[in-house]
Amino acid sequence: MAELFIFFEQIYRILFLLIPVLVSVAMIVWLDRRVWAFVQKRRGPNVVGPFGLFQTLADALKYIFKEIIIPASSNKFIFILAPIVTMTLALIAWAVIPFSETFVLADINVGILYLFAVSSLGVYGIIMGGWASNSKYPFLGAIRSAAQMVSYEVSIGVIIINVLLCVGSLNLSDIVLAQKDLWFVIPLFPMFIIFFISALAETNRPPFDLPEAEAELVAGYQTEYSGMMYAMFWLGEYANILLMCAMGSILFLGGWLSPIDLFPFNIIPAPIWLILKILFLFILFALIKAIVPRYRYDQLMKLGWKIFLPFSLIYVVLTASFLMYFDLLPGN
Amino acid sequence: MIAHAIVFYIFSLIAIVSAIMVTVSKNTVNSVFFLILDFISISCLFIMIGAEFLGMIMLIVYVGAVAVLFLFVVMMLNVAQQKNEWFNSSGRSSHIPVGLLVSIIIFFELIIVIGGWKYKPDLLDSIAIEINNDLTNTQSLGSVIYTDYIHLFQLSGMVLLVAMIGAIVLTFRQRSGVKRQSYFKQISRDRKDGIELVDVENNKGVKIDA
C-alpha cells in the first residue's frame, strides 16, 4: 500500500514538473517570435489572446486537426518514432534540473552526465526522421545535423569539465551550491561564451540552423512531416532550447541562487530566480536569431573543431593549474 | 527489491533480444538501431547495479557518438543491398570461416571467465584494490585510474591517438585547385590591395595582368 502511495506521489510530482514545462514551451515560442519581430520593427503575433499569448495554443490546435501524411516510400515505423524520440528526450532531461534546494525530481549523483547524455541522444530524433523520410532534402539535413551536433557536443563536454574542476562533484545541486560566493560566469567567462555558442549549434538554432536551412534544404529533416508530428518536432526543439538555457544557468549563472544574498533579493523564491535566468538566456537566443546571418557549413565545422575545441582544452589546463597552484581544488 | 529484480531482467531481456536482432535483421540500418537499443539497455543495466558513472559514459560515448557515426556511415553507403548479395551468393564467401574463428575464441574466453567466477568463489576477493563503499563511483574510478593505473591509462590514450592518426592518414587526400578561405588574409586586405585606379586612354583599353 505504501509503495502504491509512493508511486502515485511520484506521478504527481512528474506531472507537476512536466505540465509547467510544456506550457512554458508554448509561451517561449511566442516570446521567440515576439523578440524576433521587435528586432525587425514588426509587431509579431498579437491577435490571439492578450498580447497574442495564446498564439502557440492556436497553432497547436491547428496542427492537431491537420492530416498526418506518411510518405508511401518511407520506413513507417521509424518515421513515426522520430518525433516521439525528439519530444521524449527533450522532456526526460528535466527530471534532474534542480529548481531549488529541495524541489528536484531526481537528485542523482551524475546529474550533469545525465543531462549531457540526454542532449547527445537528441541527434537520433533528427537522424531517424531524416532517414525514414526516404527523400533527399531530409536526408541531407539529417546528415548535416548529425555532424554538427556531434562536433559541438565535444566542446560542450570539455566546458563541463571546466566547471566540474571547480565544483568537485557531478551532482547538479552541488554545482549550484558551489557558486554561492561567486558565479562561475565570472572566472570562466570565456567558457560561458563558448558554451552559449555551442548551445546554439547543439539545438540547431540560427546562425547554425543548417539542418533546416530553408534556402537550400526546404525544411531539412522536417520536410516530409505534417500535422501533429511536425508539431512534436517543433515542441521538442523548443523544449531542448529551454533545457540548454537551464543547463547554462545552472553551470554558469548560479542556478536558483539569488544574485546577492540581501534582503529584497533573498525573499524571492528560488525557482523564480532560475526561471528568470533561463528567460535571460532565452532572450539572448532569440536576439541572436534575429541579428546574425547563417554560417556556411565549412565555417561551422572549422569553428567547432579548430577554434572551440583547442581553446576549451587549453582552458581546462589553465583552470586545473590555477586551482592546483592556489590550492583551491575542491575536496581536499 | 523484487521490482528492482524484475526491471533488471526486463532490461537484460531487451539487451539479449536486440543483440540477436543486430545480427539477424536483413536491413543494415535496422541492425544499427538494434545496436543502439542494445547499448541503451546495457547502460540501464549498469545503472541498476550501481555503476551509474559507467552507464552514463556508455550512453554518452557509445550511443551519443560512436553509434551516430555508425548510422551515418551505414546510411551513406547503402550497405543493405550489398549484404543481401552476400547472403544470396552460394556460400563461397571468405568471411564466414574468419567470423566463426573469432566467435569461437570469444566463446571460449567467456567460458573461462564465467567458469572461473563460478568454480573459484574467492576470485572476487583476490582483487588488488580495496573497494570503498563510502565514495561515489566517479570518485573511486578516478582515484584508481589516475594513480595506480596511470601508465595503462596513458598507454590506451596513445593507442587511441595512433588509431586516430592512422584513420586520418588513410583517408587524407591532397586536392589541388581548392579555394581556401583565410580569415587573416580577408581581414588584413585593404583598399589598395583590391582596387587600382587606371586612366583609360581612348580607343586603347587597359591591359590587366592576372
Side-chain angles (χ1 to χ4, degrees):
Chain A
M1 202 55 213
E3 277 175 2
L4 207 68
F5 180 73
I6 292 171
F7 179 72
F8 280 111
E9 194 204 342
Q10 285 298 328
I11 287 193
Y12 279 126
R13 287 179 64 183
I14 290 169
L15 286 181
F16 190 63
L17 181 72
L18 271 193
I19 292 171
V21 165
L22 282 172
V23 171
S24 51
V25 165
M27 292 299 117
I28 226 83
V29 176
W30 169 81
L31 182 68
D32 186 31
R33 293 174 66 183
R34 269 307 250 211
V35 172
W36 196 11
F38 280 133
V39 174
Q40 298 172 345
K41 283 195 149 189
R42 292 184 287 119
R43 292 248 172 97
N46 64 349
V47 177
V48 193
F51 307 106
L53 261 172
F54 300 144
Q55 179 67 46
T56 322
L57 297 182
D59 284 347
L61 216 60
K62 184 189 76 176
Y63 284 125
I64 289 171
F65 288 114
K66 282 209 165 189
E67 185 189 355
I68 292 176
I69 299 165
I70 298 176
S73 61
S74 65
N75 185 330
K76 287 177 191 60
F77 181 69
I78 294 177
F79 188 80
I80 296 171
L81 197 62
I84 299 174
V85 166
T86 306
M87 189 78 188
T88 315
L89 287 174
L91 290 182
I92 60 170
W94 287 92
V96 293
I97 300 283
F99 284 89
S100 76
E101 202 142 8
T102 48
F103 181 30
V104 46
L105 210 57
D107 196 10
I108 57 176
N109 273 338
V110 285
I112 188 71
L113 281 183
Y114 175 82
L115 265 188
F116 188 57
V118 171
S119 76
S120 71
L121 294 191
V123 67
Y124 280 110
I126 294 173
I127 297 190
M128 285 161 95
W131 178 75
S133 302
N134 199 3
S135 149
K136 290 287 179 279
Y137 291 128
F139 187 59
L140 287 174
I143 281 181
R144 276 187 178 186
S145 113
Q148 173 180 335
M149 287 171 85
V150 170
S151 317
Y152 279 85
E153 248 161 51
V154 180
S155 66
I156 288 189
V158 178
I159 292 163
I160 288 175
I161 292 175
N162 265 305
V163 173
L164 294 184
L165 274 174
C166 307
V167 181
S169 163
L170 296 171
N171 186 308
L172 286 172
S173 301
D174 286 350
I175 292 178
V176 172
L177 287 176
Q179 305 180 53
K180 205 145 204 160
D181 304 319
L182 184 65
W183 291 1
F184 287 145
V185 67
I186 298 165
L188 299 175
F189 187 69
M191 288 300 102
F192 176 66
I193 300 289
I194 293 185
F195 177 84
F196 185 74
I197 299 173
S198 304
L200 285 173
E202 181 78 7
T203 50
N204 296 326
R205 284 283 290 187
F208 305 110
D209 59 339
L210 287 150
E212 46 200 285
E214 67 274 354
E216 307 150 33
L217 295 179
V218 190
Y221 60 92
Q222 302 168 338
T223 307
E224 304 288 346
Y225 282 89
S226 59
M228 201 52 214
M229 282 158 79
Y230 172 74
M232 279 176 82
F233 260 133
W234 186 59
L235 286 179
E237 218 171 84
Y238 274 91
N240 256 330
I241 293 165
L242 269 191
L243 184 75
M244 275 318 216
C245 294
M247 205 164 145
S249 36
I250 285 167
L251 287 178
F252 293 101
L253 299 178
W256 76 75
L257 296 172
S258 67
I260 331 164
D261 199 10
L262 285 175
F263 165 64
F265 292 107
N266 57 15
I267 54 164
I268 298 173
I272 304 265
W273 280 118
L274 184 66
I275 291 168
L276 282 179
K277 286 164 187 170
I278 292 175
L279 270 182
F280 168 71
L281 283 181
F282 183 80
I283 288 175
L284 282 185
F285 264 63
L287 279 177
I288 282 181
K289 178 182 182 177
I291 58 183
V292 183
R294 185 176 292 138
Y295 256 59
R296 218 172 52 208
Y297 191 68
D298 60 318
Q299 290 175 329
L300 175 90
M301 284 296 159
K302 202 173 185 177
L303 188 70
W305 287 107
K306 291 191 177 169
I307 300 173
F308 282 181
L309 185 61
F311 186 64
S312 40
L313 274 176
I314 289 172
Y315 217 86
V316 169
V317 177
L318 212 69
T319 316
S321 346
F322 182 84
L323 292 174
M324 194 76 196
Y325 187 75
F326 291 102
D327 209 19
L328 291 169
L329 274 176
N332 52 352
Chain B
M1 215 49 219
I2 186 97
H4 189 273
I6 290 172
V7 174
F8 186 87
Y9 283 113
I10 288 175
F11 279 130
S12 352
L13 198 71
I14 297 174
I16 292 170
V17 170
S18 55
I20 293 170
M21 288 307 285
V22 172
T23 54
V24 171
S25 65
K26 279 250 164 103
N27 188 339
T28 332
V29 176
N30 284 350
S31 287
V32 179
F33 280 127
F34 277 115
L35 187 68
I36 293 163
L37 183 61
D38 200 23
F39 283 151
I40 292 177
S41 37
I42 284 174
S43 71
C44 291
L45 288 181
F46 269 131
I47 293 166
M48 291 205 73
I49 59 171
E52 74 259 358
F53 183 75
L54 269 185
M56 286 301 162
I57 289 296
M58 179 101 186
L59 268 187
I60 293 169
V61 175
Y62 285 95
V63 186
V66 174
V68 172
L69 296 181
F70 254 52
L71 205 58
F72 209 81
V73 173
V74 167
M75 283 174 179
M76 297 271 275
L77 290 183
N78 209 358
V79 208
Q81 285 169 338
Q82 213 183 356
K83 203 179 164 192
N84 278 340
E85 279 163 25
W86 284 357
F87 283 126
N88 297 335
S89 65
S90 55
R92 275 199 306 276
S93 163
S94 59
H95 313 285
I96 291 170
V98 179
L100 265 181
L101 189 71
V102 171
S103 49
I104 285 171
I105 291 173
I106 291 176
F107 183 66
F108 276 111
E109 281 175 352
L110 277 179
I111 283 186
I112 290 169
V113 170
I114 293 173
W117 168 58
K118 199 82 190 165
Y119 293 106
K120 197 168 173 292
D122 53 342
L123 195 70
L124 276 181
D125 302 330
S126 61
I127 323 173
I129 315 156
E130 275 177 55
I131 297 172
N132 187 349
N133 282 327
D134 302 332
L135 290 176
T136 64
N137 254 274
T138 321
Q139 269 172 314
S140 34
L141 256 182
S143 61
V144 171
I145 288 178
Y146 296 114
T147 53
D148 299 345
Y149 293 97
I150 181 69
H151 294 113
L152 290 177
F153 181 73
Q154 297 237 312
L155 203 68
S156 51
M158 290 309 282
V159 170
L160 282 177
L161 182 69
V162 169
M164 192 173 84
I165 294 173
I168 293 171
V169 169
L170 282 178
T171 53
F172 184 75
R173 60 198 163 105
Q174 201 102 44
R175 280 184 296 179
S176 57
V178 183
K179 271 195 174 174
R180 288 207 191 282
Q181 190 182 18
S182 159
Y183 300 135
F184 292 112
K185 248 186 196 169
Q186 279 186 344
I187 295 166
S188 57
R189 214 169 103 104
D190 54 17
R191 189 181 150 90
K192 67 175 183 298
D193 299 328
I195 294 176
E196 191 186 352
L197 286 178
V198 187
D199 288 323
V200 185
E201 275 183 64
N202 198 9
N203 279 332
K204 284 244 176 88
V206 221
K207 193 162 194 173
I208 303 167
D209 24 329

